[in-house]
Amino acid sequence: MTEKREVGKRIEELAAEIRRHNDLYYNEGSPEIADSEYDARVRELRALVEEHPDLAPREDPLVAVGAPLRRSKAFAQVSHRVPMLSLESLTSEEEIREFDQKAHRYLAVDVGDEAEAREPFEYSLEPKYDGVSASLLYEKGKLVRGLTRGDGSTGEEITKNLLAVQGVLPSFDAQKAPELVEIRGEVLIPRQRFEELAAEREAQGEIPFRNARNAVAGSLKRLKSEGLESLGMQFLFWGVGDLKGWQDLGSYSQLAERVAGLGFTISPLFTHGTGIEAVLAYHADLELRREELPYEMDGTVAKVDDFGLQHRLGRTAKAPRWALACKFKPRRATSQVLDIGLQVGRTGIVTPVAHLAPVEISGVTVQRATLHNFDLLAERDVRIGDSVIVERAGDVIPEVISVLISERPRDSRPFDVPETCPECHEDLEKEGAFLFCTNIDCPAQIQGRIVHLASRKALDIDRLGRKYVDQLFDAGLVKTVDDIFFLQDHREELLALDRWGEKSYENLVRELDRAREPELPRFLYGLGIRHVGRKVARDLAEAFGSFEALREADEEQLIEIEGVGPVVAREVVRFLESASNRTFLSRLEEAGVRPRSMEIRAGEALPLASQIFVFTGGLETMSRDQARERVESLGAATASGISKRVTTVVAGSKAGSKLDKARKLGLEILDEDGFRSLIEGLE
Ligand code: IVH
């Protein structure tokens, strides 16, 4: 192939790829690659087209912002009153300086404003949030609708879902409100909350989220908004679209202050500084503190603060000339794939994992990286022996994001998609991009099920964490889940194992005795039935009152219960009816396991139904988990942050900014005593 043909081919290839990723990001809400990877492709395409303008792609993905909209059945397509532009991502110091110089040149040459052009710009500075953008239209202080970004000029109407996001106000003080304003910002799930959610999701046997942004994108496109509140999504302001009113405002900083005064959240890291040096210094500092922040960011956004200057600078086809985004260096490194292994989870999900030559990425030694699933493995064509780029995004497991094809050794070996389970050798089944081992007796699944049954939120047996369960399996003391309840009969064998002594044996026996009479919701959750998380477990327990009654229920009866849909009902019945689970349950009975019965509450409106509680500060007489469980069992939901929809805030000792915010919003605030008397009166 001639060089020119090769370049042409590469251009079309990149254009097609970018279009696909635009579509995944904007339309599907499920991006498959990191932003930095996307940006690298855009840069490569732009450079090639600049050099060979005659080879510009037939459908240029860089001309349109975002993806051409596909007709979505679920949400109405609505035009933004002012388009949602994006910003070009700059990565090097030179690029950042050049942006500033270009803007000054533009003012001097094109606008003819030499005096202004000589003065350094005052920049407002804030993090670039790594979330999903949304635009909220308010008329006279009332939310009219909320839109996704879509293709930049038209978005999808997701108002109901957005109302479940903390910081999205249904209305604000009409006195202070402008005639009309499009409030724009980013929806995020704080890092810590995301980790909790990821763990809950795993516990429920759901397909794992790829990362926090993905979780937000998917959640905002849910067809039902019920339950979205509990995800703890937050809205952070970063700008306005259309604005009628507030003509006294002269700068973005003043605007941000006014918007904060209405109750929207502005980053505490918001500041301003003079000249491009201030931008560079802020960016360098933010990059160092990146890990300390409660949510994911991927860089800095700097805006020329003065509205007059913004107006004179204007915009290009795609981005404003007055704002720049500087991206952080990706937390990436190159390593070699020594092997590809398989991990079998509790639910039988089989995940390919790359074993890597140890490599340090921002202070952490990485030796394993997930390949997510077999479709992605095939698409990225990762082979044993390959040099690969590994990225750590936040605190999630590092992932292999691409292969350095030019460095592929001759003897690199593709990984064959397994047909059988690496642990039990039974056939695997494909479900979407995922493979599952469906053998309920698979040892890897059994180990996972024991760890889950013994976990803190289920039967809470201290000595049965992952390490000990592995040890007990290796020693042959446990082969099935119910075997744990016979461990007291193996005193001698246990005492012969590492890290076991008389005391730990006695502790285990005591904990097992306690676990033989579990609360029903904990027991049901601990069984690890697919889609049965803690909330469904509680709904089931409250509807049936006893395990025996639940075992007799059929799918129709289950579907009648609030919070239980057909998918959950089917899984519950399937679980209880399978032959091996029947054996398992009767063995539990033999071992003396009797879940406690409880009062039936279904049908009655629970006393705290439709209330939302937030706990802040430390409680003395119970843990926060216990407090949450108690209000949830009375029908309330709990949230992690303050918003107008929160009904009650329980403030323990050392309650901080949440309490201040609750006071500002005039929410009901209870101290620990007040809280106890409330729930004790209702329980
Ligand atoms: S300002 C005219 N500020 O990044 C566009 N955007 O590439 C003004 N983003 O569309 C955008 N944090 O989705 C701005 N602090 C921030 C941001 C931010 C995240 C997103 C937003 C925007 C994209 C720009």
Side-chain angles (χ1 to χ4, degrees):
M1 225 190 306
T2 63
E3 195 210 342
K4 184 138 187 169
R5 271 181 60 196
E6 248 174 72
V7 173
K9 194 167 157 249
R10 180 70 186 144
I11 286 179
E12 287 301 337
E13 216 172 73
L14 283 166
E17 247 189 277
I18 293 168
R19 277 198 302 272
R20 193 173 87 80
H21 290 301
N22 279 347
D23 189 48
L24 283 168
Y25 186 97
Y26 293 107
N27 287 327
E28 303 281 339
S30 60
E32 273 179 7
I33 56 173
D35 272 7
S36 44
E37 238 185 304
Y38 172 85
D39 292 341
R41 277 162 223 206
V42 170
R43 259 201 301 278
E44 188 186 342
L45 177 62
R46 192 169 291 143
L48 286 176
V49 174
E50 233 166 68
E51 229 178 282
H52 306 271
D54 53 322
L55 296 179
R58 274 162 292 161
E59 256 184 86
D60 188 348
L62 305 181
V63 171
V65 184
L69 277 180
R70 294 189 325 183
R71 218 165 258 292
S72 157
K73 287 171 238 63
F75 303 102
Q77 310 278 326
V78 182
S79 296
H80 296 293
R81 298 179 63 96
V82 166
M84 285 182 89
L85 301 181
S86 57
L87 301 174
E88 200 179 321
S89 298
L90 312 175
T91 39
S92 68
E93 188 177 323
E94 296 83 78
E95 283 177 323
I96 296 168
R97 286 184 191 281
E98 200 184 301
F99 175 94
D100 181 74
Q101 284 160 6
K102 252 180 34 198
H104 278 101
R105 244 194 335 264
Y106 182 84
L107 274 189
V109 179
D110 296 8
V111 182
D113 199 342
E114 296 221 19
E116 285 284 15
R118 271 194 302 272
E119 287 291 308
F121 294 135
E122 185 68 12
Y123 281 104
S124 67
L125 302 162
E126 66 197 318
K128 181 162 168 23
Y129 313 111
D130 191 7
V132 175
S133 50
S135 180
L136 313 168
L137 173 66
Y138 290 90
E139 285 176 12
K140 298 195 173 65
K142 287 225 158 27
L143 179 64
V144 178
R145 61 176 164 261
L147 302 180
T148 63
R149 168 213 202 81
D151 66 353
S153 59
T154 306
E156 287 178 303
E157 215 231 273
I158 51 162
T159 318
K160 257 181 107 179
N161 289 357
L162 281 168
L163 277 168
V165 176
Q166 287 162 28
V168 170
L169 309 177
S171 62
F172 49 76
D173 193 346
Q175 301 283 304
K176 294 189 196 158
E179 166 90 17
L180 174 152
V181 61
E182 281 176 316
I183 298 274
R184 292 179 172 172
E186 212 73 1
V187 182
L188 303 148
I189 298 183
R191 220 193 287 260
Q192 202 191 347
R193 179 66 194 133
F194 176 70
E195 279 164 33
E196 283 169 21
L197 282 176
E200 278 169 28
R201 207 169 156 89
E202 200 201 324
Q204 291 174 30
E206 315 277 352
I207 302 290
F209 288 130
R210 290 270 303 278
N211 53 41
R213 198 200 27 220
N214 232 289
V216 173
S219 308
L220 288 180
K221 295 273 192 91
R222 268 207 221 154
L223 299 182
K224 277 202 197 151
S225 42
E226 284 81 43
L228 276 182
E229 206 125 38
S230 65
L231 296 182
M233 292 187 281
Q234 295 188 358
F235 178 81
L236 291 173
F237 168 84
W238 54 243
V240 297
D242 200 0
L243 174 62
K244 288 198 169 50
W246 280 353
Q247 267 152 8
D248 56 317
L249 295 175
S251 68
Y252 177 68
S253 319
Q254 289 170 7
L255 168 71
E257 204 175 307
R258 176 126 346 143
V259 169
L262 298 175
F264 289 96
T265 312
I266 316 286
S267 168
L269 297 166
F270 179 90
T271 182
H272 48 95
T274 310
I276 202 67
E277 296 305 326
V279 176
L280 289 165
Y282 178 87
H283 182 59
D285 179 56
L286 198 60
E287 184 153 18
L288 288 176
R289 297 166 56 191
R290 182 176 185 184
E291 314 270 352
E292 284 169 31
L293 281 150
Y295 38 72
E296 292 290 334
M297 328 173 275
D298 54 359
T300 300
V301 174
K303 295 166 189 151
V304 172
D305 200 33
D306 183 83
F307 282 160
L309 283 174
Q310 284 191 7
H311 183 72
R312 268 168 276 165
L313 282 164
R315 51 176 270 198
T316 64
K318 210 186 151 188
R321 283 194 196 87
W322 44 264
L324 74 145
C326 338
K327 286 294 212 71
F328 292 143
K329 283 186 242 19
R331 285 173 290 194
R332 280 187 187 174
T334 315
S335 179
Q336 204 196 4
V337 179
L338 302 177
D339 199 2
I340 293 177
L342 296 168
Q343 208 169 291
V344 183
R346 169 173 69 77
T347 55
I349 190 166
V350 181
T351 314
V353 177
H355 299 265
L356 304 167
V359 59
E360 202 188 287
I361 310 181
S362 43
V364 174
T365 306
V366 173
Q367 271 181 289
R368 288 155 67 82
T370 179
L371 294 157
H372 291 297
N373 60 54
F374 295 94
D375 284 3
L376 213 62
L377 170 66
E379 192 186 303
R380 295 184 181 173
D381 189 22
V382 181
R383 304 184 187 181
I384 301 162
D386 272 346
S387 291
V388 289
I389 296 177
V390 186
E391 179 164 312
R392 255 185 76 218
D395 294 325
V396 293
I397 316 161
E399 72 170 316
V400 173
I401 56 167
S402 60
V403 175
L404 301 170
I405 296 284
S406 58
E407 289 180 28
R408 172 165 281 169
R410 280 176 169 280
D411 59 350
S412 75
R413 276 185 295 129
F415 180 73
D416 294 325
V417 176
E419 284 175 2
T420 57
C421 171
E423 302 280 342
C424 70
H425 313 293
E426 293 280 325
D427 288 348
L428 296 177
E429 271 179 27
K430 197 155 164 61
E431 208 185 295
F434 294 84
L435 281 179
F436 280 87
C437 165
T438 53
N439 170 20
I440 208 141
D441 298 319
C442 170
Q445 291 186 47
I446 292 175
Q447 290 183 25
R449 289 211 293 274
I450 296 177
V451 173
H452 176 71
L453 181 65
S455 65
R456 216 161 44 87
K457 289 173 179 152
L459 302 192
D460 194 15
I461 308 171
D462 209 20
R463 272 256 146 181
L464 291 178
R466 170 67 60 188
K467 261 202 258 160
Y468 287 106
V469 172
D470 283 353
Q471 184 192 34
L472 296 173
F473 250 77
D474 290 345
L477 289 176
V478 170
K479 292 195 180 67
T480 59
V481 179
D482 39 275
D483 279 347
I484 59 169
F485 286 104
F486 296 91
L487 278 170
Q488 70 279 0
D489 304 338
H490 297 279
R491 181 171 171 276
E492 300 307 316
E493 291 107 308
L494 279 170
L495 291 184
L497 296 177
D498 265 2
R499 296 174 303 197
W500 283 88
E502 196 64 59
K503 212 160 162 202
S504 44
Y505 169 79
E506 274 166 22
N507 279 342
L508 175 71
V509 174
R510 211 177 21 252
E511 295 212 353
L512 287 172
D513 281 343
R514 182 181 45 74
R516 283 190 178 85
E517 283 186 22
E519 288 163 21
L520 185 55
R522 283 174 170 267
F523 175 74
L524 293 178
Y525 167 72
L527 290 178
I529 306 170
R530 223 171 152 193
H531 308 307
V532 178
R534 286 197 305 152
K535 169 142 188 340
V536 175
R538 186 172 315 106
D539 291 343
L540 289 171
E542 281 170 357
F544 290 96
S546 73
F547 188 50
E548 292 72 30
L550 173 66
R551 286 185 78 173
E552 310 223 314
D554 57 22
E555 273 185 53
E556 266 106 85
Q557 281 167 290
L558 288 166
I559 293 172
E560 303 230 318
I561 298 164
E562 177 88 32
V564 175
V567 178
V568 178
R570 193 171 334 117
E571 287 294 336
V572 172
V573 170
R574 211 160 76 173
F575 183 95
L576 294 173
E577 283 184 354
S578 96
S580 73
N581 280 330
R582 280 171 185 232
T583 317
F584 160 59
L585 293 170
S586 61
R587 287 257 297 159
L588 283 187
E589 253 177 73
E590 242 174 77
V593 179
R594 306 263 183 281
R596 281 187 257 162
S597 299
M598 55 192 276
E599 208 179 311
I600 295 183
R601 291 199 111 135
E604 291 170 32
L606 291 173
L608 294 181
S610 77
Q611 307 256 7
I612 301 174
F613 277 69
V614 166
F615 294 90
T616 174
L619 300 177
E620 270 164 30
T621 56
M622 63 187 104
S623 71
R624 271 213 223 171
D625 263 350
Q626 285 167 334
R628 254 185 235 135
E629 268 180 36
R630 286 173 79 172
V631 291
E632 282 171 4
S633 73
L634 292 166
T638 55
S640 49
I642 303 290
S643 72
K644 272 199 173 166
R645 286 175 303 281
V646 169
T647 50
T648 313
V649 175
V650 180
S653 57
K654 298 211 181 96
S657 62
K658 284 190 193 172
L659 180 57
D660 298 339
K661 204 163 167 194
R663 284 206 184 103
K664 228 166 131 188
L665 290 176
L667 307 178
E668 181 187 26
I669 298 168
L670 295 177
D671 62 9
E672 186 163 352
D673 283 345
F675 171 63
R676 284 179 62 101
S677 48
L678 170 77
I679 51 174
E680 280 162 13
L682 296 172
E683 278 172 345

